[in-house]
């Protein structure tokens, strides 16, 4: 079994990367970016790192719409044209789209070359860059193709967040809310207070959020059990994200925005089935009301979203498996939920938020 990648911070992170480069002597280094991380993050990154030979930069346009096999093929062709061998290194410098897609290509190119994640969005810092999940979407179906394969290291530098648009910060904060709900009352309370002060990315909170994810992946790297907790809000959230990606009726939502709605719905279901405390559900409602757009779904759309859940990766034998909560940090895995209850959850979202 692969060990989880070490996570390094700030100067120590760049020192570790420089040591890695000096020790491993990669034959070539490719830095994979999107246009935004190239504009805002690449020069800061290059200033901290010593390369024996000029790295090659490959950029793609930004956004979830690029996270598909076509982009992977274009990247693989480019790596081939650049004559990258198996001793080469891919550095993913960007948000979750770059770390997911770059990590996946590194995992399959010539049966795998080493890669390093340098996340630049809040979402990638606290979630996507950690834990070794890589992959791409199949049309509108999220992360339908992929592998779990650990990077060599994750290098966290919060300086990159200075240029991240507020909407994107909020999207990343959604995964931090999730980490609060599935971990402990203490971390959950800290998340709620930070949002009240409109400060969604204080350093200590980010570090704690990273620790929550790291500790869960450490226990269950291949998602046979407890790692499924990190999918809280994602069974309905991914289906909503897929629906919005494929529909003209509702504008596309950012990943974290869709997951925020998913968490409201799945928390309502948790209250109904497991007596999850209503007062904590109310706190979640307040956060989501404050930070994320409200979306109106009609009955036909909700039915389509329910259909889309059939593609969820936690399903076994055609059965949709939810992760639910009995309390903050008390997780119930592999729960089945009637469609009627899902309908009521959407009704609750419509009425309450
Ligand atoms: N692998 C995992 O475990 C995991 C976990 C959670 C989410 N994800 C995936 O992550 C993706 C979402 O990640 P994301 O929100 O980072 O998306 P993203 O990569 O699209 O980044 C969001 C936006 O911010 C821009 N950006 C990134 N860094 C910037 C910076 N420093 N300054 C200015 N702009 C910057 C990007 O160009 C993009 O426009 C989804 O595809 C989701 O499925 C994966
Ligand atoms: Zn997510």
């Amino acid at each position: 079994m692969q060990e989880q990648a070490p996570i390094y911070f700030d100067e120590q992170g760049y020192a570790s990367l420089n040591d890695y480069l000096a020790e491993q002597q990669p034959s070539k280094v490719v830095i994979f970016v999107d246009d935004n991380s190239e504009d805002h993050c690449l020069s800061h990154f290059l200033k901290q790192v010593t390369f024996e030979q000029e790295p090659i930069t490959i950029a793609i346009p930004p956004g979830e719409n690029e996270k598909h096999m076509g982009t992977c093929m274009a990247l693989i062709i480019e790596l081939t044209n650049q004559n990258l061998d198996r001793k080469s290194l891919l550095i993913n410098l960007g948000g979750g789209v770059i770390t997911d897609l770059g990590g996946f290509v590194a995992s399959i190119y010539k049966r795998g070359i080493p890669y390093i994640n340098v996340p630049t969005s809040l979402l990638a810092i606290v979630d996507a860059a950690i834990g070794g999940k890589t992959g791409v979407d199949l049309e509108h179906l999220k992360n339908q193709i992929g592998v779990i394969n650990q990077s060599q290291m994750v290098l966290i530098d919060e300086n990159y967040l200075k240029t991240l648009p507020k909407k994107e910060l909020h999207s990343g904060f959604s995964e931090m809310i999730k980490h609060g709900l599935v971990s402990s009352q203490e971390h959950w309370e800290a998340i709620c207070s930070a949002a009240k002060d409109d400060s969604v990315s204080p350093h200590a909170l980010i570090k704690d959020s990273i620790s929550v994810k790291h500790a869960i992946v450490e226990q269950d790297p291949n998602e046979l059990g407890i790692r499924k907790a990190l999918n809280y809000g994602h069974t309905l959230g991914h289906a909503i994200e897929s629906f919005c990606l494929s529909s003209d009726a509702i504008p596309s939502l950012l990943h974290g925005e869709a997951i925020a709605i998913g968490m409201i719905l799945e928390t309502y279901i948790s209250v109904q089935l497991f007596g999850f405390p209503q007062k904590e559900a109310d706190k979640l409602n307040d956060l989501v009301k404050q930070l994320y757009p409200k979306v109106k779904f009609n009955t036909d759309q909700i039915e389509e979203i329910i259909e889309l859940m059939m593609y969820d990766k936690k399903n076994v034998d055609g059965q949709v498996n939810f992760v639910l909560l009995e309390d903050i940090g008390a997780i119930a895995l592999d729960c089945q939920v009637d469609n009627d209850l899902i309908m009521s959850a959407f009704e609750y979202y419509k009425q309450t938020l």
Side-chain angles (χ1 to χ4, degrees):
M1 195 184 290
Q2 275 187 325
E3 290 227 349
Q4 201 177 175
I7 303 176
Y8 299 118
F9 292 83
D10 308 319
E11 270 123 63
Q12 190 220 341
Y14 292 107
S16 304
L17 175 55
N18 284 327
D19 289 349
Y20 177 92
L21 292 169
E23 274 163 28
Q24 299 296 322
Q25 297 277 324
S27 47
K28 284 189 182 172
V29 179
V30 167
I31 305 177
F32 181 50
V33 288
D34 71 16
D35 294 341
N36 293 328
S37 61
E38 181 173 32
D39 286 354
H40 298 294
C41 310
L42 185 60
S43 67
H44 174 77
F45 177 74
L46 290 174
K47 272 186 223 142
Q48 326 285 324
V49 187
T50 313
F51 293 103
E52 296 233 325
Q53 49 171 317
E54 185 86 356
I56 302 156
T57 302
I58 300 178
I60 60 167
E64 185 72 26
N65 285 335
E66 297 299 320
K67 205 179 113 174
H68 57 72
M69 285 304 287
T71 314
C72 289
M73 285 307 293
L75 178 57
I76 289 168
I77 291 167
E78 187 59 29
L79 300 184
T80 307
N81 290 342
Q82 297 283 355
N83 207 7
L84 251 75
D85 61 23
R86 293 181 70 185
K87 220 180 158 273
S88 306
L89 173 71
L90 187 69
I91 298 179
N92 299 316
L93 178 73
V97 169
I98 291 298
T99 57
D100 272 13
L101 194 148
F104 179 57
V105 165
S107 307
I108 58 173
Y109 177 74
K110 296 200 172 172
R111 300 211 178 90
I113 61 169
Y115 75 98
I116 286 176
N117 281 340
V118 186
T120 63
S121 69
L122 182 59
L123 194 142
I125 285 177
V126 298
D127 201 344
I130 301 165
K133 276 195 187 176
T134 73
V136 292
D137 305 335
L138 179 66
E139 299 187 340
H140 58 283
L141 295 178
K142 290 276 305 170
N143 305 330
Q144 192 76 355
I145 304 159
V147 295
I148 297 182
N149 177 37
Q150 299 290 335
S151 63
Q152 299 296 303
M153 70 172 75
V154 183
L155 196 171
I156 308 281
D157 177 354
E158 291 170 32
N159 280 310
Y160 293 120
L161 297 178
K162 288 178 191 155
T163 56
L164 192 70
K166 199 160 190 179
K167 205 171 139 72
E168 297 291 349
L169 265 181
H170 287 172
S171 176
F173 191 68
S174 181
E175 304 283 16
M176 294 174 70
I177 295 175
K178 175 191 78 181
H179 291 161
L181 288 168
V182 304
S183 63
S184 65
Q185 192 71 34
E186 192 189 355
H187 185 48
W188 167 238
E189 300 289 348
I191 294 278
C192 294
S193 341
K196 262 186 217 129
D197 306 337
D198 200 23
S199 157
V200 296
S201 57
H203 179 69
L205 211 56
I206 291 179
K207 271 202 145 170
D208 287 349
S209 197
I210 291 171
S211 304
V212 170
K213 169 126 192 201
H214 188 264
I216 292 177
V217 175
E218 198 71 9
Q219 287 177 59
D220 175 25
N222 294 321
E223 200 171 295
L224 302 170
I226 192 65
R227 186 169 181 173
K228 293 180 195 166
L230 294 171
N231 294 318
Y232 190 66
H234 283 60
T235 305
L236 279 156
H238 269 156
I240 290 169
E241 191 181 4
S242 292
F243 174 76
C244 297
L245 281 169
S246 65
S247 152
D248 295 333
I250 294 180
S252 283
L253 292 173
L254 297 179
H255 178 72
E257 293 172 343
I259 297 317
I261 302 173
M263 286 191 289
I264 294 285
L265 301 171
E266 293 179 19
T267 301
Y268 171 85
I269 296 169
S270 296
V271 172
Q272 301 306 312
L273 292 184
F274 290 107
F276 179 86
Q278 185 60 49
K279 75 172 185 339
E280 307 299 348
D282 292 341
K283 284 189 213 160
L284 173 66
N285 293 349
D286 290 344
L287 286 181
V288 172
K289 242 188 249 180
Q290 179 194 335
L291 299 170
Y292 306 101
K294 174 158 183 178
V295 182
K296 290 197 174 104
F297 302 101
N298 64 34
T299 309
D300 289 349
Q301 292 168 336
I302 296 169
E303 276 166 6
E304 268 187 65
I305 290 167
I306 292 175
E307 280 285 303
L308 281 165
M309 279 190 332
M310 300 302 159
Y311 296 96
D312 191 88
K313 286 175 292 304
K314 295 184 299 313
N315 298 353
V316 179
D317 273 348
Q319 185 75 57
V320 180
N321 281 322
F322 280 80
V323 177
L324 296 174
L325 288 174
E326 294 172 8
D327 203 339
I328 301 291
I331 292 137
L333 298 176
D334 302 328
C335 307
Q336 274 90 55
V337 178
D338 287 345
N339 286 355
D340 288 351
L341 188 53
I342 297 173
M343 279 290 181
S344 316
F346 273 98
E347 189 55 34
Y348 171 80
Y349 172 68
K350 186 170 150 192
Q351 304 288 340
T352 320
L353 268 88

